[in-house]
Amino acid sequence: MQVLGPGDLHREVLETGLCVGCGACIHLCPYFHTWQGKTAMVFSCNRQKGRCHAFCPKTEVDLDALSRLAGLGEYSGDPLGAYQQIFAARAGDAAVRGDFQDGGTVSALIGYALETGRIDAAVLTGKKGLMPEPALVTRVRDVAGYAGSGYAAAPTLAALNQGVNQGYQQMGVVGTPCQMTAVALMRENPMADENFSDPVALTIGLFCTWALDARGLMAFMEKRLPGEEIRKIRIPPPPAEILVAETRNHAVEIALDEIRDLVLQGCGLCPDMTAEWADVSVGAMEQNPGYNTLVVRTEKGRQLTADAAAAGYLEVWDLPQSGRGCLERAAAVKKRRAFGRAVETGRVNSEKIGPAVLRVNARALEKMTAGPGGAHE
Amino acid sequence: MNELTEGRPGQRLLMMGNQAIARGALEAGVSVAAGYPGTPSSEIIENLAGVAAAAGIYVEWSVNEKVAAEVAAAASFAGLRSLCVMKQNGVNVASDFLLHLAGGGTRGGMVLVPCDDPGALSSINEGESRHFARLLEIPLLEPGDFQEAKDMIKWAFELSEQIGNLVMVRSVTRLSHASGNVELGPMPDFRPKARFRHTGFILDPRQGAVSSAPVAYKHDLQQQKLEKAQDAFENALFNTYTGPENPELLVITASACNLYCREAIEILGLSDRAGLLKLATTWPLPNNLVGRYLEKTGRVLIVEEVIPFLEENIKILAAELALEIGAKTIHAKRDKTLPSVGEMHPDHVIAALAKIFDLSYEAVSADYTEKAGLCVLAGAPGRDLTFCPGCPHRASYWILHNVLALDNREGFVCGDIGCYSLGMRETGYFSLKTMHAMGSGTGLASGFGKLGPFGMDQSIVAVSGDSTFFHAVMPALVNAVHYNADITLVVFDNSGTAMTGFQPHPGLETDAMGQSAPAVDIEAVCRALGAQTTVCDPFEMDQTRDILLEKVSGKNGVQVVIMRRACALSPARRGRPEYEMYLDPQICIGENCGCNKLCTRVFKCPGLNWDDQNRCARIDEVICAGCGVCASVCPAGAITRKKRT
Ligand SMILES: Cc1cc2nc3c(=O)[nH]c(=O)nc-3n(C[C@H](O)[C@H](O)[C@H](O)COP(=O)(O)OP(=O)(O)OC[C@H]3O[C@@H](n4cnc5c(N)ncnc54)[C@H](O)[C@@H]3O)c2cc1C
Ligand code: SF4
Ligand code: SF4
Ligand code: SF4
Ligand code: SF4
């Protein structure tokens, strides 16, 4: 994957509106900053090559290279990526209770990893009102305070870079698929820095179909529910096609069509629904509110899941075959859409680097684009 | 000893034009002088303020030019002689009052001295004040050298009293700021008592009320005054002619251009072919005098700065007299013989004369521009204008730039003139996007702040200096508050401890004459006007940035942020660095990813240099003012500061 400079990043990702505000370019230097969900380059840096460009998941993503980095060889194009096991799961009795988004699997696993010293800090995302705020958490009892997800894009990885600056060496990171992609790129040491050591010991990916523009969401809610504090945002499984905003005393249903415009443009070119480059990936469980779908991918992820379950931090069950089918279909649709758009706009395996160029072998591409909604439609 | 008051009559002194004007006012027995600072006019008030106590006069830096005119007029109404001083565009500010003043007339002699800035050497306009003389229908005098600068002021006071109206004496940069020999005259020993007489018949010009109404009556009176002045102009000794009895060409000029014309005629050896009529009384023109000289020749060249004022008036006169004196060929600006922008220059006059007389004289060699360009490139390093080391404006603009970038809505800054105008350039990180008259930044912001319903979602910031705040920002701020415009006004308050040595303004505890005065508190004013007001220190960069971010991004009407920090050149800070600075080359990231010379390439305080050999930044101890700010700019913590005791 070729590395260019901040000027290229600014031109190709920020100015084109493809930035998903992941935070990977923040706290590396004085030039990139994030504020209220938006990433800004405050001055131009003039370097021809930089970590900002190298870490950004929206410059170019070479799926074969990422796959090889994960020790998997050529990218398969399978809807859920490579994995070992899939479970239905939720937080166990030993885990600290919180206002979980779904089953609390994420909080439970992070809490357990901190408790057992597998990680020295956790990179999480909290909220101030509806505005997501990254956080570096080191105490188990604080983890539950970050439970719940907001569906607004968050600069989570700014906290990871801050952790690096503060000297943490085994961080656990919770994030969306694009953020997991950025973390994989970071861990590759793309700038060939002599003093580099991998600061990440655990990655927990969240399922994601799209994320919303944080400022847009705040403005929308302020208009829709003026002055009200929104405590939680849920998206019930299809075919509901609604978003539920919960305030202190009522729940308001909002048609997804109303907020479609707030979906980040960059999400439309993201082929990953299940965070394929994480140790484990966690999402909602369509048929079962209050539970999670847990995809275990790496050996590290398998060990963690098994140990956490044994210690009572996690409850796991085999996922019924029907659930797996639903998930695969949804993930395949996201791939087909993203690659369809990418092919249309000349982004797949293009000669040029960025923005949002996807590189992948022909076989996987064929697999991902075949079927309704894809380029071969 | 101050030679301004103590120089003996008959003594010859080398004097700056502005000093000569001040001395002229003293010799005329001026009692009150008021003005607003602005190059090239400031030294007149400064000089008078310096001798105020010794001379027993009252001098003030007024809040703005209109008030300065009013303060001076009050003295005139009370029978005293008064002087009012400003730069060219100040007359625009004062003009509303001046129009009414000229309509109603004056009592004690009152002289208005605007100093124009042809070529805009220290301005962002080269507007002319001469046109105001015509607009206001008052006499206009233009001194042609330094002696005249003094003597004509005295004469202007006499004329003002003779006709009962305001007289304008116009200076220009090259007269105000250059120096020449001046022979002093006697100082008066009589000072009238101030009394405003208002109990007489309402239309009595010396005992009644003062007003420009009833307009038709007073306007007629005013024009009679002007005719009286015109009569006096016919015999004025300041209008001079040098040259042959019947010249081939009559050069007519005024003001500093007189010196350029003399030089050009001499260099070309044309003194027996061209005659020079130097006019000191340029409005209204002394018709008979000018007609007499026009009659002597068929060709005329008019030399003046900047736009054709003299030219138009002479052409009107020439047309009126055409039957008697014959048609004239008049060369000037309208036929492009001379440029009508920028300063006049002996070379321009030489070129014009050479063309008219068909001489092959090259005032400037053809490749001059090219050669000069090469010299500049080879000789001097390319330098942009920059804020001083330790200047609070650099820190303020750094914060503003960062805030607007983070806010990320293409926000912008509206400003006006002052040191902080440099915000339009690199040293202010190109933050300033509009720059007009004093106070216009806030007025424009107030307007931008109401465009939300038309889809405007950019952040709007206005900046103002502390002196500008009092001058013209306050009404604009009232407007913005009253109409609830969504704007942030940032006041660069660099006065805090800047006492004398700086021109004082109402925010300070000292007045122009060095007396203590009650200070008007900007913060209290803003609060009283109903704006949410916060005081910040621009040197506390992170904290101030966060405060400003909240203000700029919120939509809650008018927010005022006062950036309070004394100017680096203020007596309180000058030569007294607050911190000892240290830059650790081991920690400095230099050009690598993570910094790339932020301090020397972007922040650009002149106190920081790039060490090409060791590839790291370093502090230039001679230039560094020890403000400590760069310690918060460096991302690596390579720059540290230690408080000096
Ligand atoms: C933008 C977004 C879109 C999502 N879309 C889907 C989807 O389409 N289908 C699906 O099944 N699941 C989706 N999820 C995941 C789902 O909302 C839950 O996060 C997941 O099921 C884990 O639930 P939990 O109860 O274990 O989480 P909890 O134990 O409540 O923990 C939630 C964790 O999410 C992290 N987090 C919160 N907000 C963000 C954010 N904005 N960005 C990154 N991390 C955050 C917090 O650090 C916290 O650790 C999405 C999540 C996000 C953030
Ligand atoms: S190249 Fe390095 S220093 Fe420059 S903007 Fe990117 S991350 Fe920052
Ligand atoms: S997508 Fe992430 S890394 Fe790329 S520009 Fe946006 S915030 Fe920075
Ligand atoms: S900002 Fe700091 S790290 Fe960067 S060049 Fe200057 S001193 Fe070095
Ligand atoms: S301390 Fe730093 S910012 Fe201040 S004058 Fe010195 S070099 Fe410039």
Side-chain angles (χ1 to χ4, degrees):
Chain A
M1 281 176 256
Q2 200 181 332
V3 177
L4 297 180
D8 305 280
L9 181 62
H10 185 247
R11 204 169 38 254
E12 292 170 356
V13 178
L14 289 176
E15 285 192 336
T16 54
L18 288 172
C19 169
V20 289
C22 71
C25 59
I26 313 296
H27 286 316
L28 297 172
C29 71
Y31 300 104
F32 285 89
H33 289 267
T34 175
W35 198 66
Q36 296 210 323
K38 259 193 141 89
T39 301
M41 187 177 86
V42 297
F43 285 106
S44 61
C45 152
N46 279 5
R47 279 182 53 86
Q48 302 307 308
K49 255 171 178 262
R51 288 171 293 167
C52 48
H53 187 276
F55 295 172
C56 176
K58 288 295 160 191
T59 49
E60 62 161 355
V61 173
D62 185 335
L63 292 167
D64 290 320
L66 284 172
S67 183
R68 273 191 288 272
L69 272 172
L72 297 166
E74 207 169 59
Y75 186 64
S76 70
D78 291 341
L80 303 183
Y83 63 88
Q84 300 189 10
Q85 302 153 301
I86 298 195
F87 298 113
R90 68 172 183 197
D93 291 337
V96 183
R97 292 280 118 192
D99 191 2
F100 303 133
Q101 184 67 23
D102 296 306
T105 300
V106 170
S107 297
L109 287 175
I110 282 291
Y112 180 71
L114 269 176
E115 182 81 68
T116 53
R118 282 171 160 88
I119 59 176
D120 55 5
V123 174
L124 302 179
T125 308
K127 282 195 295 288
K128 203 171 180 186
L130 286 176
M131 192 55 72
E133 288 200 338
L136 200 60
V137 175
T138 52
R139 293 187 305 198
V140 182
R141 64 173 184 277
D142 292 340
V143 172
Y146 295 87
S149 42
Y151 294 96
T156 311
L157 300 183
L160 173 59
N161 289 330
Q162 218 162 17
V164 172
N165 295 341
Q166 289 170 19
Y168 289 100
Q169 286 168 343
Q170 301 177 61
M171 286 179 280
V173 188
V174 178
T176 53
C178 55
Q179 290 170 333
M180 290 298 114
T181 305
V183 171
L185 293 169
M186 288 173 170
R187 298 173 77 181
E188 185 200 346
N189 188 16
M191 292 284 286
D193 181 354
E194 290 162 22
N195 303 321
F196 179 84
S197 69
D198 182 357
V200 176
L202 175 67
T203 50
I204 300 183
L206 304 174
F207 294 2
C208 178
T209 342
W210 39 249
L212 302 172
D213 173 61
R215 291 188 188 186
L217 180 65
M218 277 185 67
F220 177 89
M221 290 299 183
E222 186 50 42
K223 238 188 190 158
R224 196 62 196 267
L225 302 164
E228 294 207 54
E229 188 200 337
I230 291 156
R231 308 183 126 198
K232 189 167 182 176
I233 288 186
R234 288 185 290 120
I235 300 187
E241 288 291 307
I242 53 163
L243 172 150
V244 181
E246 293 179 9
T247 66
R248 185 188 291 273
N249 38 34
H250 58 181
V252 180
E253 293 186 1
I254 292 161
L256 286 186
D257 273 342
E258 275 190 72
I259 54 154
R260 202 74 70 186
D261 283 350
L262 303 178
V263 173
L264 295 176
Q265 215 186 307
C267 296
L269 288 157
C270 170
D272 185 354
M273 191 192 90
T274 58
E276 295 173 30
W277 314 114
D279 289 317
V280 299
S281 307
V282 186
M285 197 175 159
E286 284 197 3
Q287 308 82 344
N288 254 328
Y291 289 79
N292 291 110
T293 306
L294 170 63
V295 180
V296 177
R297 301 186 185 279
T298 62
E299 187 49 32
K300 197 187 265 169
R302 195 193 61 74
Q303 282 265 300
L304 176 76
T305 306
D307 293 353
Y313 272 79
L314 200 66
E315 294 182 74
V316 292
W317 301 267
D318 279 335
L319 190 76
Q321 192 53 49
S322 63
R324 188 176 305 205
C326 271
L327 194 61
E328 279 181 347
R329 272 192 300 282
V333 167
K334 188 171 179 187
K335 281 198 161 56
R336 203 152 54 228
R337 276 211 196 113
F339 271 98
R341 279 201 192 104
V343 168
E344 251 169 49
T345 49
R347 286 187 158 95
V348 176
N349 297 331
S350 109
E351 290 285 304
K352 258 183 54 222
I353 309 163
V357 164
L358 298 172
R359 297 193 192 285
V360 69
N361 63 77
R363 214 157 40 89
L365 180 63
E366 175 71 31
K367 193 195 277 183
M368 291 185 290
T369 49
H376 291 243
E377 201 178 348
Chain B
M1 172 189 117
N2 194 315
E3 58 198 23
L4 207 57
T5 44
E6 289 169 33
R8 289 181 320 280
Q11 199 178 346
R12 285 174 73 80
L13 289 176
L14 183 68
M15 280 187 145
M16 193 191 199
N18 279 346
Q19 260 177 321
I21 290 171
R23 170 77 189 196
L26 290 169
E27 287 181 9
V30 75
S31 293
V32 170
Y36 186 81
T39 320
S41 72
S42 307
E43 296 83 3
I44 300 173
I45 292 291
E46 270 169 9
N47 272 292
L48 289 172
V51 299
I57 61 173
Y58 173 74
V59 184
E60 73 169 39
W61 282 125
S62 307
V63 69
N64 64 32
E65 294 86 349
K66 178 168 175 277
V67 174
E70 288 153 354
V71 166
S76 162
F77 295 164
L80 306 181
R81 288 191 168 181
S82 67
L83 183 74
C84 180
V85 184
M86 54 198 61
K87 71 181 290 176
Q88 75 275 14
N89 43 298
V91 187
N92 303 348
V93 178
S95 62
D96 193 11
F97 171 69
L98 292 176
L99 185 70
H100 292 90
L101 176 69
T106 55
R107 291 182 184 175
M110 177 169 171
V111 176
L112 169 69
V113 179
C115 300
D116 288 8
D117 188 14
L121 303 169
S122 322
S123 312
I124 55 164
N125 68 78
E126 51 176 1
E128 282 219 30
S129 59
R130 292 185 299 173
H131 290 267
F132 276 102
R134 194 158 63 181
L135 179 80
L136 303 172
E137 298 175 84
I138 55 169
L140 165 66
L141 309 182
E142 296 190 68
D145 62 30
F146 305 96
Q147 185 69 44
E148 285 187 3
K150 179 182 80 65
D151 295 346
M152 278 169 70
I153 291 285
K154 192 158 174 244
W155 183 49
F157 275 107
E158 286 157 12
L159 184 67
S160 168
E161 275 167 13
Q162 205 183 322
I163 65 169
N165 213 352
L166 180 67
V167 173
M168 179 190 281
V169 180
R170 179 228 194 192
S171 179
V172 292
T173 306
R174 299 298 178 193
L175 192 66
S176 280
H177 278 180
S179 298
N181 275 334
V182 178
E183 188 180 319
L184 304 185
M187 296 281 266
D189 47 14
F190 165 76
R191 202 163 293 288
K193 184 167 181 291
R195 181 152 203 94
F196 176 41
R197 302 188 188 281
H198 53 74
T199 52
F201 173 56
I202 189 154
L203 292 180
D204 184 329
R206 311 226 51 100
Q207 311 266 330
V210 214
S211 141
S212 53
V215 173
Y217 170 75
K218 290 281 176 80
H219 196 180
D220 184 46
L221 208 60
Q222 185 185 359
Q223 289 181 352
Q224 289 174 31
K225 294 176 181 178
L226 205 56
E227 279 165 22
K228 221 173 177 184
Q230 197 171 17
D231 288 345
F233 287 177
E234 294 288 359
N235 304 312
L237 296 176
F238 294 109
N239 295 322
T240 59
Y241 175 78
T242 38
E245 185 53 32
N246 288 302
E248 291 168 50
L249 178 80
L250 175 68
V251 183
I252 305 180
T253 191
S255 189
C257 294
N258 174 42
L259 304 170
Y260 310 153
C261 292
R262 286 212 303 241
E263 188 178 332
I265 290 173
E266 196 184 304
I267 287 177
L268 291 178
L270 288 171
S271 44
D272 47 3
R273 299 178 69 190
L276 179 63
L277 175 63
K278 190 267 305 182
L279 290 176
T281 61
T282 44
W283 174 260
L285 284 175
N287 289 349
N288 298 333
L289 177 110
V290 177
R292 245 185 354 262
Y293 286 99
L294 284 177
E295 208 172 356
K296 291 176 189 287
T297 180
R299 272 184 123 177
V300 180
L301 172 68
I302 299 166
V303 184
E304 64 182 318
E305 287 172 322
V306 177
I307 47 177
F309 175 80
L310 208 49
E311 176 180 353
E312 283 173 12
N313 295 327
I314 287 174
K315 280 181 170 168
I316 291 172
L317 183 63
E320 285 170 355
L321 298 176
L323 277 181
E324 297 161 44
I325 62 169
K328 307 290 164 192
T329 305
I330 298 180
H331 302 289
K333 293 175 187 274
R334 290 175 59 89
D335 71 347
K336 308 268 184 247
T337 302
L338 289 165
S340 45
V341 296
E343 280 199 291
M344 192 45 65
H345 191 272
D347 286 340
H348 291 319
V349 186
I350 290 175
L353 286 173
K355 198 170 125 199
I356 293 166
F357 283 96
D358 200 17
L359 303 173
S360 61
Y361 181 92
E362 229 183 304
V364 181
S365 66
D367 57 354
Y368 175 84
T369 324
E370 197 185 318
K371 277 189 184 153
L374 283 176
C375 287
V376 165
L377 284 182
R383 275 200 200 103
D384 196 24
L385 293 171
T386 176
F387 290 126
C388 302
C391 173
H393 294 333
R394 175 179 291 102
S396 295
Y397 274 121
W398 181 261
I399 295 167
L400 262 173
H401 174 94
N402 278 285
V403 162
L404 291 175
L406 288 180
D407 179 61
N408 217 329
R409 292 184 291 155
E410 270 187 41
F412 55 93
V413 183
C414 301
D416 39 50
I417 39 202
C419 282
Y420 54 98
S421 302
L422 287 182
M424 268 207 160
R425 314 176 79 118
E426 191 182 25
T427 192
Y429 316 110
F430 304 108
S431 311
L432 202 58
K433 301 299 183 188
T434 75
M435 175 168 68
H436 299 86
M438 294 188 72
S440 300
T442 310
L444 282 169
S446 177
F448 279 125
K450 294 311 292 178
L451 302 184
F454 300 97
M456 185 152 174
D457 63 353
Q458 292 158 284
S459 298
I460 299 147
V461 177
V463 291
S464 154
D466 40 9
S467 181
T468 312
F469 179 83
F470 295 111
H471 179 284
V473 165
M474 280 171 62
L477 181 58
V478 170
N479 199 72
V481 170
H482 182 62
Y483 291 104
N484 201 29
D486 281 319
I487 66 165
T488 307
L489 167 63
V490 176
V491 183
F492 294 154
D493 182 359
N494 57 5
S495 67
T497 48
M499 301 289 266
T500 40
F502 285 134
Q503 285 131 0
H505 60 66
L508 302 180
E509 286 170 345
T510 317
D511 68 16
M513 299 178 294
Q515 315 264 318
S516 73
V520 179
D521 181 11
I522 296 180
E523 182 189 350
V525 170
C526 293
R527 282 193 212 287
L529 293 183
Q532 305 248 14
T533 306
T534 313
V535 179
C536 297
D537 180 353
F539 284 3
E540 293 299 329
M541 285 210 176
D542 295 344
Q543 205 185 330
T544 300
R545 182 200 55 210
D546 291 349
I547 293 172
L548 203 58
L549 251 178
E550 290 299 326
K551 300 255 173 195
V552 164
S553 62
K555 282 220 176 296
N556 346 309
V558 178
Q559 303 282 326
V560 175
V561 176
I562 299 171
M563 299 273 199
R564 190 171 286 164
R565 188 40 94 147
C567 167
L569 299 179
S570 75
R573 279 188 58 206
R574 199 173 192 162
R576 251 171 277 177
E578 198 177 343
Y579 293 100
E580 212 170 305
M581 303 305 297
Y582 178 70
L583 196 154
D584 189 339
Q586 298 302 310
I587 300 178
C588 174
I589 308 175
E591 295 149 296
N592 291 331
C593 179
C595 183
N596 200 18
K597 312 203 268 189
L598 182 72
C599 58
T600 59
R601 191 181 55 84
V602 187
F603 180 64
K604 280 199 158 181
C605 171
L608 292 153
N609 285 331
W610 177 248
D611 179 345
D612 229 354
Q613 214 158 31
N614 298 309
R615 313 224 65 77
C616 66
R618 90 179 125 73
I619 287 176
D620 185 330
E621 274 161 32
V622 179
I623 295 175
C624 169
C627 73
V629 166
C630 52
S632 5
V633 169
C634 173
I639 307 178
T640 46
R641 61 189 205 185
K642 206 175 97 201
K643 198 126 191 149
R644 278 184 203 255
T645 41

